[in-house]
Amino acid sequence: MDHLVLLFARLTDFAARDRARKIRVQAKTEEEKKKASAQGASDTAGQQPPRPPPMYGMMPAPGYIHLPAAFDQSRQDRLNEANKVVVEDAELETATSAAEQEWAEIWAALDLLEKAFGPDYQPLSEDHMTALSTPFGPALYYRAYSIACLVSLFFTARIFATRVHPSMPPAAMVAAGVAAPRTAHWANIIGRITAGLQPVSTTAPINPSHGAALMDCCMGFFHAGVQFRDAAERGWTITKLRNIARLTGWQTAALIASGCERAWMAAAEMGRGPPYTRTMNATAKDDRVSGRSRMYQGPPKDNNDRRFIHVNPGTRVYWALGIIGMEEDMQQLKME
């Protein structure tokens, strides 16, 4: 477990340091697309005589308009600016190569750790397992709850490492969607492991070690769940997370379920996932999860209208979606 925690730390540190480079690459790509679009538009416009813009008042002189000398850059300045762009491009290529090499070393460490797992870390055979069908496939059982949680976290590290690859977008939620085809297999395994940890009875009390295992599996289940697209998988995910919250009293599981729903809704709004309708949990303590909270509608009436200044002690701010969905909101910040 110590080795896995250290690998998570390396991945987190790498993702934080590489984010600035990814933003530079993204900005450069967008700039190149704009230049290509402008070039294509100029080529198309060159086929037809340009129409002069409508003028009101003084008419400009026909022909090419020369920039006054006082506002023109000198030739030396233009050369320095071109050299600066070349140097920046070279630095970006060097940083990208270094990031790819560092990521490959972390991935090799994950491979080494997986090879170190002995037979005790393999799932039980079918003869020793209770057959349980889930939308992800048959449930997987292990010799101990702790082993099941560790294996689930290991595949979570695989998913996380794939999403922070140097070629992925800087926004984590966007990267999760882009990497979904590559991480679908590991997300499916995490779902099967979580199914094997579920109690046989949803009404009988559970022992502390079992409850701790159910809580520990939620983090990996969240990172896998945000990319689920099948309606059966999504429904099963929400049901089990809310059962964990009810059985253990750990209400973060219910917030993780709400975080998954928000991620699915956001993906649908961006056209990157099937539509999803959010469900409500009437027994939840958080007003937004239970549906007790109501948003005020309509424009403000005047400057003294305080309808939008509302404090609700029944709502909480630590939504699970914030764990991987905050990059877009903080993109403008200069974080070193």
Side-chain angles (χ1 to χ4, degrees):
M1 186 63 183
D2 293 341
H3 295 285
L4 186 58
V5 171
L6 290 174
L7 284 174
F8 268 112
R10 290 180 63 184
L11 282 169
T12 304
D13 177 68
F14 169 77
R17 289 185 288 103
D18 192 49
R19 183 173 174 276
R21 183 200 61 81
K22 288 182 176 180
I23 293 176
R24 291 173 58 193
V25 172
Q26 188 179 41
K28 180 182 177 182
T29 303
E30 293 176 355
E31 183 179 356
E32 291 176 350
K33 289 181 179 179
K34 290 180 180 179
K35 290 182 179 179
S37 301
Q39 183 65 29
S42 62
D43 294 343
T44 304
Q47 300 174 0
Q48 299 178 355
R51 297 180 180 180
M55 296 294 297
Y56 304 94
M58 299 181 62
M59 295 295 295
Y64 178 75
I65 301 176
H66 295 276
L67 186 68
F71 298 95
D72 190 14
Q73 278 187 319
S74 66
R75 184 173 180 272
Q76 183 65 27
D77 291 340
R78 288 195 294 268
L79 290 176
N80 291 340
E81 183 177 352
N83 292 336
K84 181 180 179 181
V85 173
V86 173
V87 172
E88 289 180 353
D89 291 345
E91 292 178 352
L92 188 58
E93 292 178 0
T94 302
T96 301
S97 300
E100 291 176 349
Q101 181 178 358
E102 183 176 357
W103 183 90
E105 293 175 355
I106 298 176
W107 191 263
L110 286 172
D111 291 338
L112 184 62
L113 178 61
E114 187 174 16
K115 292 179 181 178
F117 288 158
D120 293 339
Y121 290 86
Q122 302 303 317
L124 298 176
S125 62
E126 296 182 358
D127 298 336
H128 299 84
M129 293 192 303
T130 303
L132 177 62
S133 178
T134 71
F136 310 100
L140 294 178
Y141 298 88
Y142 291 82
R143 288 171 172 79
Y145 294 139
S146 58
I147 294 177
C149 292
L150 189 146
V151 175
S152 177
L153 288 175
F154 173 79
F155 288 115
T156 303
R158 289 285 196 190
I159 293 175
F160 187 35
T162 304
R163 292 175 181 172
V164 302
H165 188 273
S167 63
M168 289 293 168
M173 282 303 302
V174 179
V178 174
R182 304 180 187 178
T183 59
H185 174 67
W186 300 315
N188 185 272
I189 294 178
I190 292 175
R192 296 174 63 188
I193 294 174
T194 305
L197 290 172
Q198 298 298 315
V200 178
S201 175
T202 58
T203 58
I206 57 177
N207 60 63
S209 60
H210 194 183
L214 290 174
M215 291 187 289
D216 289 343
C217 76
C218 287
M219 186 55 65
F221 202 29
F222 169 59
H223 284 274
V226 294
Q227 70 179 59
F228 292 156
R229 300 173 59 92
D230 182 72
E233 294 178 353
R234 290 178 171 183
W236 192 92
T237 299
I238 299 303
T239 300
K240 297 307 178 183
L241 285 172
R242 288 177 176 170
N243 283 342
I244 292 174
R246 180 178 54 84
L247 291 172
T248 64
W250 194 56
Q251 296 304 316
T252 302
L255 294 179
I256 290 176
S258 298
C260 289
E261 290 187 315
R262 292 290 298 172
W264 299 333
M265 293 170 62
E269 292 174 359
M270 293 186 294
R272 298 177 179 175
Y276 182 81
T277 302
R278 180 182 170 190
T279 61
M280 296 296 177
N281 182 11
T283 62
K285 296 181 179 179
D286 193 300
D287 286 0
R288 291 169 296 185
V289 178
S290 63
R292 292 187 294 268
S293 179
R294 294 291 183 266
M295 296 297 294
Y296 293 99
Q297 298 180 356
K301 299 177 181 179
D302 50 48
N303 293 336
N304 296 324
D305 190 350
R306 301 181 62 84
R307 289 179 300 155
F308 294 93
I309 305 177
H310 178 65
V311 178
N312 187 351
T315 58
R316 307 300 292 269
V317 298
Y318 52 85
W319 287 93
L321 180 60
I323 297 175
I324 64 174
M326 62 182 294
E327 283 83 349
E328 287 294 324
D329 297 331
M330 302 181 65
Q331 188 172 2
Q332 303 300 326
L333 297 179
K334 301 299 183 181
M335 299 169 53
E336 297 295 341

